[in-house]
Amino acid sequence: MSIRIATFNMENLFRRPTAFRLSNPGEREKVLADFARLVTLLDLPVYQDADKAEIAGLIVKYRAYAIDAKNPPQIFVNQSRPGAGSGLFRTHGSGKDTTVEVTAKGRAGWSGWAELGQDDLDLEVVRNTGRVVSEVDADILLTVEVENRLTLERFNTQILAGALGRRPYPYNLLIDGNDPRGIDIGILSRHPITSVRTHVFDTDPERPEDRLFSRDCPEFEIQLDGSPLVILGNHLKSKFQDNPELRLAQARRVAEIYQAALERTPHVMVAGDLNDDPNSAPAVELGETGLRDVMSHHSYRGVPGTHGDCSREDDKIDYLLLPPQLWPEVQHVGVETRGIFADGIKSFDTVTSKGNAASDHAALYVDLDL
């Protein structure tokens, strides 16, 4: 069975507040000012009649009660327990005739919060991300820098299947990692994902009170016809506010996880963004386990890098590492660079600037005969 496996740092697969799409700065600032005012009112210990009237007016103005995927409100009030006597408000009527009655007496009278409504994934940059994914057309795609599983699913259905008319993936999975910005590691697959093991709780050997992984090193197990395939997803410490020792410690732990996974199946891959070049200590550490970088395979004839203009080996920070058992099964290796906007890169016709580039990473893929 021929199978294509890829890794792609999508860099921008995040839903953004709806208000930020407003082209008129005055309108955008008005939404943000009203949001700040609503938050202030909701935090009052006691709601006077005038407060209730103002809260209700803002909720109606922004449809802050509406759960609407096609037209999300710019402000939304999330009531975590909106049952009788425990919510902030009740609605009456529907559509343009909707009215709001604030029933809570103060902040202690309800559970929930106000938040800026978030867009669906219909931005030009995300469609260019979709073009990269659809062109690679991997059977299994490790995704780096994704907000959450819901965002991954919306990308799958609204961009790949909807905007681009391509086959959506029947399976996707993502576990929230340690990055406070929500930069997580996920997976899209045409084969069943039977299990996942997380390592978000692994601790730093030098500082046991700290988490080791900047994000995670999830072990995704994929059901194939023969032995299951385990993919270790990675996004090691970046060089922003660099900490080479931490990145090396993460690579050493990945090597340990890899060795343990080999006891369950001979088909184990290490994939993702290592944030370091092939001659770096983390890459060498992983290579000492016997893992081999697919871009070093004799079938590969492409650019030396996977980041920026991809013109140098130092630009290579994305990896698909194979165990010795899988090396003879490599059929083809490729790098899809057209989602990047950089000197020397022939981009997609829809990628016209860094602002609408799919990513500053290329997608790396390998075809295996399993």
Side-chain angles (χ1 to χ4, degrees):
M1 175 179 66
S2 180
I3 185 169
R4 175 167 289 186
I5 302 169
T7 181
F8 183 32
N9 186 327
M10 295 179 162
E11 199 181 44
N12 54 41
L13 202 55
F14 300 88
R15 291 180 299 157
R16 293 164 174 81
T18 306
F20 291 170
R21 291 186 62 202
L22 295 172
S23 58
N24 186 313
E27 293 179 2
R28 184 166 60 246
E29 292 303 319
K30 178 59 177 172
V31 175
L32 297 178
D34 283 347
F35 173 71
R37 177 60 179 163
L38 179 60
V39 169
T40 298
L41 289 167
L42 294 179
D43 280 343
L44 293 173
V46 177
Y47 300 153
Q48 304 296 337
D49 288 344
D51 302 326
K52 290 184 177 182
E54 190 173 359
I55 290 170
L58 288 169
I59 291 173
V60 170
K61 177 180 178 179
Y62 288 101
R63 298 169 44 250
Y65 51 80
I67 301 175
D68 188 343
K70 293 183 178 180
N71 183 25
Q74 294 170 331
I75 297 173
F76 180 68
V77 175
N78 193 328
Q79 301 183 86
S80 57
R81 293 198 302 272
S86 62
L88 169 66
F89 64 87
R90 288 197 294 260
T91 60
H92 304 281
S94 61
K96 295 181 179 180
D97 297 324
T98 300
T99 60
V100 166
E101 175 191 2
V102 175
T103 55
K105 295 180 180 179
R107 192 63 185 91
W110 66 287
S111 297
W113 60 91
E115 59 190 45
L116 288 170
Q118 291 183 314
D119 272 331
D120 283 331
L121 299 174
D122 61 350
L123 300 175
E124 181 182 11
V125 63
V126 182
R127 288 196 293 272
N128 284 330
T129 302
R131 287 196 68 178
V132 174
V133 172
S134 62
E135 289 295 327
V136 171
D137 195 24
D139 298 289
I140 300 169
L141 172 65
L142 186 83
T143 62
V144 179
E145 293 201 22
V146 178
E147 181 182 19
N148 52 38
R149 203 195 75 81
L150 179 59
T151 300
L152 193 59
E153 174 60 19
R154 289 186 174 188
F155 171 79
N156 186 36
T157 58
Q158 296 175 5
I159 302 300
L160 289 183
L164 299 176
R166 302 300 291 264
R167 289 187 301 161
Y169 285 88
Y171 307 100
N172 69 77
L173 194 58
L174 182 149
I175 293 178
D176 285 340
N178 291 322
D179 196 305
R181 298 166 295 173
I183 296 177
D184 295 320
I185 303 166
I187 197 164
L188 293 165
S189 179
R190 303 200 189 284
H191 299 271
I193 304 167
T194 55
S195 71
V196 60
R197 299 186 182 195
T198 180
H199 290 276
V200 293
F201 304 113
D202 289 10
T203 56
D204 188 334
E206 299 299 321
R207 292 175 293 277
E209 69 279 6
D210 294 337
R211 304 295 189 203
L212 174 61
F213 288 109
S214 309
R215 268 62 67 163
D216 190 7
C217 176
E219 302 180 60
F220 296 109
E221 185 169 309
I222 313 296
Q223 178 183 318
L224 301 177
D225 292 341
S227 298
L229 171 69
V230 173
I231 298 180
L232 310 185
N234 284 274
H235 188 192
L236 301 190
K237 173 69 180 75
S238 75
K239 291 190 176 181
F240 176 71
Q241 298 180 338
D242 201 8
N243 187 339
E245 292 78 14
L246 176 59
R247 194 161 49 249
L248 179 57
Q250 292 171 345
R252 286 173 175 160
R253 180 61 182 136
V254 173
E256 293 174 352
I257 296 168
Y258 162 72
Q259 297 283 12
L262 281 177
E263 297 179 5
R264 307 196 304 273
T265 175
H267 296 166
V268 182
M269 296 179 59
V270 173
D273 180 355
L274 301 187
N275 268 314
D276 230 331
D277 65 80
N279 296 314
S280 65
V284 170
E285 185 79 24
L286 289 167
E288 289 178 352
T289 66
L291 285 163
R292 300 177 70 178
D293 174 15
V294 298
M295 286 175 67
S296 69
H297 194 269
H298 64 81
S299 66
Y300 182 64
R301 294 289 186 271
V303 294
T306 63
H307 181 258
D309 64 12
C310 304
S311 63
R312 304 171 303 146
E313 192 176 64
D314 286 351
D315 296 327
K316 176 181 168 52
I317 59 177
D318 302 279
Y319 294 79
L320 291 172
L321 302 176
L322 299 182
Q325 299 94 319
L326 291 182
W327 195 253
E329 311 307 326
V330 174
Q331 299 173 315
H332 177 67
V333 179
V335 172
E336 176 56 79
T337 62
R338 289 176 291 175
I340 298 173
F341 185 84
D343 292 340
I345 297 289
K346 184 177 180 180
S347 307
F348 290 127
D349 57 357
T350 52
V351 175
T352 57
S353 70
K354 288 186 179 296
N356 64 16
S359 174
D360 60 7
H361 292 251
L364 171 63
Y365 60 91
V366 62
D367 295 332
L368 296 171
D369 184 13
L370 295 180

